[in-house]
Amino acid sequence: MRGRLYVVILAAVAMLAAGCGTRQASAGALSAAVANTAATTSRVAVSTTMSSPGMKTTITATGEFDYAHPRGVLRMGSGLVPGGEEVRYLPPRLYVKLPGAPGVPFPKGKAWVEISLPGQAADQSVPFLPLGNVNASPMDLLSALTAVASKVTDLGPATIRGVAVTHYRVSVDLAKAEAHLRPQARAEFHSFASSLDSATLPVDVWVDGQARVSRIAISLPMPHGSGMPADFRVSEAVDYYDFGVPVQVSAPPASEVMSASEFSQSMSISGSSSGGGFGQASPPPVSGTLPAAQASAAEQAIRAFWTALSSNSARAVERTIVPSQRDCIAGFLQGTKFKFKISSLRITAAKPAGTGKATVWFSVKATVQIGGQTVPMAPSGAAGRNWLLATEIGNVWYADLSNSGSGLLPPCPSVGH
C-alpha cells in the first residue's frame, strides 16, 4: 500500500443543481461536523473499488484515529494492496509494515519502514483529488474537505451503520484545490482540471445527530483523455464510527525500523546477492519449442513494456500487455501515481514456457518514486537475473503480468484471451 490508501481519482463531473427533495445547506454545518470530528477519536473503515465491465478490485482497511492528537493506525484488509500490512501515522512520520514475502528484503529483525511526511501546512495536497499526498490518512481527508468546498446541498436523511444521519453533497472547487496543493504539483493539477467538463467535483458526506462526520464518499468515472477504459470507475468510502474509542499508537521499536533509504539499499543488495527476479521466485519450467522469430517477438514485447512503463503513460502500458489484464494495470497505474524511471534494459534470453508463451530474461536498472522516496523497482544484479512472461495472442506477443511478483506491479489475472 505504501501509505497510499486514497486512490487517485480522475473524473469528469457536472455541477449538481438543487432539485426535488434537496435544499441548499449552510457550509457552517459541514464545518461544524468536521471540527467536532477533529476534536475526538474514532474507528475508521476504508473501502476503495476500481471497476469496469468484467473487472472489479476492492481495497479495504480498518483502524483507529485520534484527530486531536494527530495519530492513528490502519490495518490492511482484502484486495490489491501493493506492499503494506499496517500503517501507523505519527506525524511528521509514518511507519509501514511490509509483509515478509519473497521479493521484500528486510535485514534480520527489521519489519518496518519509516517515511517522513510532508509538512502539515496550508500547501498540503488534497488527498481525495489527483496528485494528492500519497501518504494521506483519514485525518487529512477531514481537514481537506472544508478547505476546498464551494457549495453544500442537503440531500435528506439516511442511515449508516444503524445510525440516523443527514446526507450532504459537497461541491469541491477545483480552483481552490489547486491553490491548496504544494507549488510543485500545481502545474500538473491545472492540466488535469482543465480536462474536466466542470469546475467542481462532488463529494458525499454524511453527518450524524451529534454533528460528526459518519462517512465521506466519492464515486466517479475517468475524465476524457485519461487513457482509461470508457466505463472505468473509482469509488471510495471512509466511515467514521465508535467515536471516543481509546487510541493507542506508538512507533515500532527502533530495532525493527529501517529508513526508506536503508530499505532501498536493502532491495538492491538483496537482488544482487540472491539473484531474485522481477517475477515469481521460480519462473515457469522450460516447455515446448520457441522458433527464433517467436523468441525475437517475445523479447520485443518485454522491451516495449518497459519502454511504456518508463513513459509513465497508462495508455501506453496497456497496449503492451495481454488485453485481459489492461483494466487491472491501468487502475493500478492511475491509482498509485507512481513515477517509474528505467535507466537501462538488456534482454539476455527467451525460453519456451508452453504453447504461445515464453520466459524473457533480462537485466534492468529501474526505480519508482513513491511518496517522495525513490526506490529500486527491480535490482540490477547480474545479467539475466530478472524475468517476465510473454504471451502470443492472435500472432501478436504481449507482456503477461499474470505471474508478476515484483511487490510493486499487481499480479493481474489472465482470463479468456
Side-chain angles (χ1 to χ4, degrees), residues 36 57 61 124 133 189 251 338 378 390:
N36 290 340
T57 299
Q124 181 172 325
N133 177 5
F189 179 85
F338 289 168

Side-chain angles (χ1 to χ4, degrees), residues 104-107 258 260-272:
V104 184
F106 277 94
M258 63 194 310
S261 59
E262 289 172 331
F263 177 61
S264 173
Q265 183 180 14
S266 176
M267 287 186 70
S268 296
I269 294 174
S270 175
S272 297

Side-chain angles (χ1 to χ4, degrees), residues 312-381:
N312 290 294
S313 165
R315 178 178 292 176
V317 174
E318 283 183 73
R319 289 196 291 264
T320 68
I321 67 173
V322 296
S324 63
Q325 299 170 0
R326 290 175 180 174
D327 283 355
C328 170
I329 193 65
F332 174 81
L333 293 175
Q334 291 288 359
T336 59
K337 296 296 284 187
F338 289 168
K339 295 295 184 181
F340 299 94
K341 181 179 180 180
I342 286 73
S343 302
S344 66
L345 172 69
R346 185 164 71 92
I347 304 294
T348 57
K351 299 180 180 180
T355 304
K357 291 185 178 293
T359 304
V360 178
W361 294 83
F362 54 90
S363 59
V364 64
K365 292 183 179 179
T367 59
V368 59
Q369 189 175 68
I370 308 172
Q373 304 290 336
T374 299
V375 299
M377 181 182 173
S380 54

Side-chain angles (χ1 to χ4, degrees), residues 41 100 174 220 227 236 327 368:
T41 66
L174 294 176
L220 299 167
E236 180 178 74
D327 283 355
V368 59

Side-chain angles (χ1 to χ4, degrees), residues 239-257:
D239 284 8
Y240 301 80
Y241 58 102
D242 285 354
F243 294 100
V245 65
V247 176
Q248 296 181 346
V249 182
S250 59
S255 60
E256 298 180 13
V257 177

